[in-house]
Each structure stands twice: as structure tokens, then as C-alpha cells.
């Protein structure tokens, strides 16, 4: 028997961050940046207008009022994208659009709403201080500043920022390609009819989705029967294309626990009883350098094992901190019991009201009972030393993605 922490430590000691990859911006969505990206020029690159209006010398309109507007000759139109903008002399104005370069000499923009919108001359009925409605060069990002740090997962705002500093490609950690395979003679594909004794296969769908939630690319494979030759053949075929392989089933103490039979002693793969519920029988190791996670077959065991062991490993492979699921501290609404000596993960419903979190454990906690997982939004994590906790106790709760 080993603890959850010991098993996780072995896993994290074995997996390596994936080599970096150069990708076009939109291909990089959801990947983790492997280099800091900085601005080669200030943003904005030049002083420009924040409004549609008129570029002026602020002193020329300092006395303007509704009753006594300033009247200025309009010497031209400056639109966004104009390149050779001439300087503005005092006493004159130029119509200017949002994002257009501010002419030298001008020090304020009067929004068109404060004017009569004139073409040849314009009547301006309000004054404005120097600098009014001007976006200064560098006021968003100064030249040389890092705009997205290495280690950041690239979402929409980060991709926009990287494009805004002129980069079309970035160096990132690729998404780990994770092959997911279920094993079991009793399993049928969803959509097919069931014969007596059969069940629909669910783990591979659940875990392929969980891989995607963890930032990987999931490749679901067809279920493999409980036959040594077929299990071996599957590993042989998948090792060449996978950054990691996740299997479920066939690792406990039954007579058809074929995954365990064929892998025991192969590569660095080892099988262990881990002090946890659900999820006691675990296998992990490197096969031809590829991390292989052999998770137990009961669906909730497989899911919890994924979140506790596989997800941190996939994060490490992406160059992220191998953090567990985000946790919050919550108050138990009801008493709970827990087996001594085991880390216990209870499905629960977490809610937030009047400034604090409360959590209620599901009534059904069997490792085959996927129903209570599908309606849960959290896993209550009880330490090995906990045997029971009264209602009102504070517990750590992992939020499910
Ligand atoms: P095993 O770990 O292979 O002994 O399986 C334990 C339990 O989980 C058995 O009741 C299996 O029928 C069930 N099980 C195993 N694999 C799956 C799967 N992929 N989908 C749904 N149930 C499964
Ligand atoms: Mg089985």
C-alpha cells in the first residue's frame, strides 16, 4: 500500500515537459506559452485620437461656450490609417477620426458631439484641457514590456494581445496527445443493443473529455477485450503516437485482470494499492518512455484517479504547475464518515450563499454509481486521518471542471 501523495510523487517524477513547438496564432489556442512575448514597439505606436471629432490646440478653444462658441477653419480630414499627416498650426483645426494619428501641434481632440460638425469651419461650444481624448503612444504597453509570460495558457485575450504586438507565430508547449482505452469483455458501444450481462462503455468517453478539459488532445480508442494478446497489441499500436496512454479496467484482483497481467514488469510499470477511495488499484509507469496510466474500471474510480493523478501529470507535460483541481474551503451541511487510513473523495454539491461555501455529500458514493458523479459539482477531500466529521466542519473541496 502507498499513499496518494507517494503515488503522485512517482508520477510527477517520471513525466517530462513536452518539447516546444512553433505554431501559428490560432493553432496555439489553449496551449501554454513557452517563451515570454514582449512588445517590440510601444502600444499604441503613435499618439492618436480617442474620438471622432476635431484636433485642436486646446488654448484656441479655452473660452468656448454654448453661447459664445469658438469658430475655427477646418484644414483637412485625418482618418485612421493616414500616414503623412501634416502639423496643425494654432487657430486651425482638422477633422479627425478615432484611431487616426494626432497631427503635430494639436494637443486635444474635441468630440464631434460638442460641435456643429462643420466642414469648412466648425463651431465648438465647449472647452477641453490639453491632452483631452488623446491616446498617448505607449499608454497601453511600453516598448519592451512582456505582454504574456511564459507558462500562460493562451485564451482569447492573450491571443489578441500577441497579435497586437505583431507576432503571427508563437513557441508553445503542445497539447499532450493522450490515447484513452477501455478494457472489458462486458462493454458495448453506446448505440448498440445490450445482451444480458453487458453494459454500455462510458469510461473512455468521460476520460477523453477530461483530457480535453486538462488541456490535452484526447484520442478515444475502441474498447479492448480482456485478452492478453489484444491488450499487448493495443499498447504496441498506440505507443508510437501517444504522449500518454490512459487505460481503464483490468487492474484489480480478478481472474480477467489482463492489463495488470500483461504490463506487470514491463518498462517501469508498477501496480499498487493506493490508500484512497475510490480508486485503490492503480498502475503507472513508462513504456518506451511514454507515461501509461492504468486506472481502475469502476467509472467513479476512473474519474477520481484521472483528476488526482493524470491531470497533474498532463499539466506538468504542458509546463504548468502540477496543481490539483482548484479547491475551496466549505462547510459541511451534514455529518460524514470516512474509512480510516484512506484519502476519501466524496461526490458533493457545492454552493455559495451569504458569503461562504457549503457542501453536501451525495447520498450514493459507490464507485460504480456514476449517477451521483454526474449530478455533483465537487469532490470533498477527506484526509487519511479523518474518520468522521460533524455537520458544520470545514473541509477542502475540489471543484469539478
Ligand atoms: P474492472 O476494473 O475491469 O474489474 O472493472 C470494474 C467495474 O467497472 C466492473 O463492474 C466493470 O464492468 C466496470 N467497468 C469497467 N470498465 C468500464 C467502462 N469502460 N465503462 C463502464 N464501466 C466499466
Ligand atoms: Mg474488467
Amino acid at each position: 500500500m502507498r499513499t496518494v501523495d507517494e503515488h503522485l510523487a512517482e508520477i510527477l517524477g517520471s513525466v517530462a515537459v513536452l518539447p516546444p513547438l512553433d505554431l501559428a496564432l490560432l493553432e496555439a489556442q489553449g496551449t501554454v506559452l513557452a517563451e515570454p512575448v514582449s512588445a517590440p514597439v510601444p502600444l499604441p505606436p503613435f499618439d492618436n485620437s480617442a474620438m471622432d471629432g476635431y484636433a485642436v490646440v486646446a488654448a484656441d478653444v479655452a473660452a468656448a461656450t454654448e453661447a459664445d462658441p469658438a469658430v475655427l477653419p477646418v484644414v483637412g480630414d485625418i482618418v485612421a490609417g493616414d500616414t503623412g499627416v501634416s502639423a496643425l498650426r494654432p487657430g486651425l483645426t482638422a477633422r479627425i477620426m478615432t484611431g487616426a494619428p494626432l497631427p503635430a501641434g494639436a494637443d486635444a481632440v474635441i468630440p464631434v458631439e460638442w460641435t456643429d460638425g462643420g466642414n469648412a469651419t466648425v463651431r465648438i461650444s465647449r472647452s477641453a484641457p490639453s491632452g483631452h481624448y488623446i491616446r498617448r503612444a505607449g499608454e497601453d504597453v511600453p516598448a519592451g514590456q512582456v505582454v504574456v509570460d511564459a507558462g500562460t495558457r493562451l485564451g482569447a485575450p492573450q491571443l489578441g494581445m500577441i497579435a497586437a504586438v505583431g507576432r503571427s507565430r508563437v513557441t508553445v508547449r503542445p497539447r499532450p496527445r493522450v490515447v484513452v482505452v477501455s478494457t472489458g469483455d462486458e462493454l458495448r458501444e453506446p448505440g448498440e443493443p445490450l445482451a444480458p450481462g453487458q453494459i454500455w462503455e462510458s469510461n473512455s468517453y468521460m476520460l477523453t473529455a477530461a483530457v480535453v478539459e486538462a488541456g490535452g488532445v484526447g484520442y478515444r480508442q475502441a474498447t479492448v477485450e480482456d485478452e492478453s494478446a489484444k491488450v499487448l497489441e493495443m499498447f504496441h499500436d498506440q505507443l508510437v503516437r501517444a504522449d500518454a496512454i490512459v487505460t481503464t479496467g483490468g487492474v484489480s484482483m480478478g481472474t480477467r485482470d489482463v492489463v495488470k497481467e500483461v504490463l506487470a514488469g514491463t518498462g517501469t510499470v508498477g501496480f499498487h494499492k493506493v490508500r484512497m477511495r475510490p480508486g485503490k488499484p492503480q498502475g503507472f509507469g513508462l513504456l518506451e518512455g511514454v507515461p501509461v496510466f492504468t486506472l481502475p474500471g469502476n467509472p467513479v474510480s476512473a474519474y477520481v484517479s484521472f483528476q488526482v493523478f493524470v491531470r497533474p501529470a498532463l499539466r506538468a507535460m504542458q509546463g504548468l504547475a502540477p496543481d490539483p483541481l482548484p479547491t475551496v474551503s466549505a462547510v459541511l451541511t451534514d455529518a460524514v464518515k470516512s474509512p480510516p487510513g484512506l484519502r476519501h473523495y466524496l461526490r458533493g454539491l457545492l454552493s455559495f450563499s451569504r458569503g461562504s461555501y457549503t457542501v453536501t455529500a451525495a447520498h450514493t458514493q459507490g464507485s460504480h454509481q456514476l449517477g451521483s458523479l454526474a449530478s455533483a459539482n465537487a469532490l470533498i477531500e477527506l484526509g487519511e486521518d479523518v474518520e468522521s466529521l460533524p455537520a458544520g466542519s470545514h473541509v477542502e473541496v475540489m471543484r469539478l471542471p
Side-chain angles (χ1 to χ4, degrees):
M1 292 273 258
R2 48 161 63 174
T3 64
V4 168
D5 293 336
E6 287 163 351
H7 191 59
L8 182 59
E10 185 201 332
I11 292 168
L12 295 178
S14 309
V15 301
V17 61
L18 296 174
L21 188 69
D22 179 63
L23 289 181
L25 271 193
L26 285 181
E27 289 167 11
Q29 182 172 5
T31 64
V32 176
L33 197 59
E35 52 159 350
V37 170
S38 53
V41 297
L43 293 187
F46 49 87
D47 292 353
N48 67 90
S49 177
M51 294 291 275
D52 295 330
Y54 294 83
V56 297
V57 177
D60 289 343
V61 299
T65 60
E66 289 280 354
D68 187 15
V71 179
L72 299 177
V74 181
V75 295
D77 265 326
I78 312 171
V79 298
D82 273 355
T83 46
V85 174
S86 19
L88 188 76
R89 280 188 287 127
L92 303 177
T93 182
R95 192 149 52 180
I96 190 165
M97 305 304 141
T98 305
L102 189 76
D107 67 348
V109 171
I110 306 299
V112 68
E113 292 82 354
W114 299 4
T115 74
D116 67 353
N119 292 319
T121 57
V122 62
R123 298 162 74 82
I124 293 171
S125 48
R126 279 172 74 173
S127 66
S130 177
H132 195 245
Y133 283 132
I134 294 171
R135 302 162 170 173
R136 292 294 178 192
E139 73 173 28
D140 181 4
V141 178
Q145 180 171 298
V146 172
V147 291
V148 187
D149 275 311
T152 306
R153 199 185 292 285
L154 298 178
Q158 292 75 34
L159 291 171
M161 184 75 251
I162 293 169
V165 299
R167 291 281 298 271
S168 62
R169 306 185 69 83
V170 275
T171 305
V172 299
R173 302 289 168 187
R175 299 165 173 281
R177 297 162 303 169
V178 183
V179 167
V180 180
V181 194
S182 290
T183 65
D185 287 341
E186 74 282 26
L187 305 174
R188 283 293 163 272
E189 287 296 300
E192 288 179 4
L194 292 182
Q198 298 181 334
I199 59 170
W200 283 299
E201 197 281 303
S202 55
N203 287 349
S204 67
Y205 292 94
M206 176 171 61
L207 297 188
T208 303
V211 165
V212 175
E213 288 175 350
V217 186
Y219 295 100
R220 178 189 174 267
Q221 296 304 306
T223 300
V224 178
E225 289 161 56
D226 292 320
E227 269 179 50
S228 316
K230 293 194 168 157
V231 172
L232 267 178
E233 185 189 348
M234 177 279 292
F235 278 112
H236 179 79
D237 291 348
Q238 300 304 328
L239 279 170
V240 292
R241 65 168 187 152
D243 295 316
I245 297 180
V246 177
T247 68
T248 68
V251 293
S252 38
M253 306 297 281
T255 54
R256 300 299 293 275
D257 284 327
V258 176
V259 173
K260 193 171 169 181
E261 269 166 48
V262 305
L263 287 192
T266 320
T268 68
V269 180
F271 291 88
H272 302 278
K273 287 183 179 148
V274 177
R275 295 180 182 278
M276 67 191 287
R277 178 177 295 168
K280 183 166 71 174
Q282 297 286 336
F284 170 77
L286 301 181
L287 266 189
E288 296 172 25
V290 177
V292 173
F293 301 83
T294 67
L295 310 182
N298 272 308
V300 181
S301 308
Y303 182 80
V304 170
S305 306
F306 181 94
Q307 299 301 357
V308 173
F309 299 122
V310 184
R311 185 178 190 275
L314 297 183
R315 287 178 58 87
M317 292 166 76
Q318 295 169 81
L320 295 170
D323 296 336
L325 287 169
T327 61
V328 294
S329 178
V331 175
L332 282 173
T333 57
D334 300 302
V336 294
K337 284 198 163 29
S338 187
L342 301 184
R343 182 91 54 96
H344 198 186
Y345 298 93
L346 289 163
R347 280 144 271 175
L349 260 190
L350 180 71
S351 56
F352 189 76
S353 66
R354 281 185 251 109
S356 69
Y357 286 101
T358 57
V359 68
T360 306
H363 290 300
T364 52
Q365 295 284 349
S367 58
H368 60 297
Q369 289 172 309
L370 199 47
S372 58
L373 179 63
S375 53
N377 61 3
L379 293 175
I380 305 167
E381 188 174 6
L382 301 177
E384 288 81 349
D385 52 333
V386 172
E387 290 187 41
S388 64
L389 286 176
S393 307
H394 283 265
V395 286
E396 281 302 296
V397 176
M398 296 175 159
R399 314 185 74 148
L400 299 183

